[in-house]
Amino acid sequence: MIIKPFSRQLKAMAETVVKAPSKMGMSPTVLLAPNNISSTSRRVNAKDIIGSIQEFVAQIPHAVKQRKDDDIEPGAFNDPVAKLFRKTTLSPHDWHRYAWFDESLPYTRNLIATDRKTYTLLLLCWNAGQESPIHDHPCDGCWLKVLQGDIREVRYDTQLNCVSDETFGQGALSYITDHDGYHKVGNPSNRPSVSLHLYAPPFQRCLSWRTQDIEQACVSECSNFSEYGFKVR
Ligand SMILES: N[C@@H](CS(=O)O)C(=O)O
Ligand SMILES: [Fe+2]
């Protein structure tokens, strides 16, 4: 796998180095099912399959609210959001209008839908051999589904010790919360990859790290490359 120097990573993010005392002293809590990965085809009846972005988006608010109201951990067996993802099978025909790539960036963040208060749905387009820095997710949960190609996820505990390194193929679903720890995500292959990310609630900035030094956090602005199919930067 080709890993580019950090200067090539997340150009969209304006960085300020800060101390992150709130992250210190927390111990990792593994709250997800082992391997935190599942496949779309598992336990889904053909009649229940959701096959369009519109239908998927229409069901997000209810699933997000239900998960929160019932205080269900993202990725748990009864997580309504994970269930919704598992029921959903999208083809490139459904998402290609959001799939903006830019060769000068490791990846682009393309907004598909948001209600600006409970969720944001993004399509991420990854150039070959590129990755994000290690980062957190200041929200209740992040759900990630691979739509095309391969996605590598390296996970860290809340002290930035590496705890897993896995590469997922099309259809795989992964979840993370700041209780689990942090991750970096990338495309380890030599062809483009596309992933679908749901954050609930939305966030504008996150912490990222150039190295595994927990003290050297950067505040990163999360900016979109396109919104609703139209380029915005
Ligand atoms: N959480 C990252 C994408 S990924 O690397 O998980 C972002 O929103 O830009
Ligand atoms: Fe992430």
Side-chain angles (χ1 to χ4, degrees), residues 10 13 107 109 122 124 126 131-133 135-137 142 144 153 176 183-186 197 199 203 206 222:
L10 287 192
M13 295 180 169
Y107 70 94
R109 309 173 86 251
L122 296 165
L124 268 53
W126 301 86
E131 64 178 7
S132 62
H135 58 272
D136 73 350
H137 303 85
C142 156
L144 179 171
E153 182 188 35
I176 194 165
H183 71 182
K184 67 175 182 179
V185 172
H197 294 233
Y199 304 118
F203 57 88
C206 66
C222 301

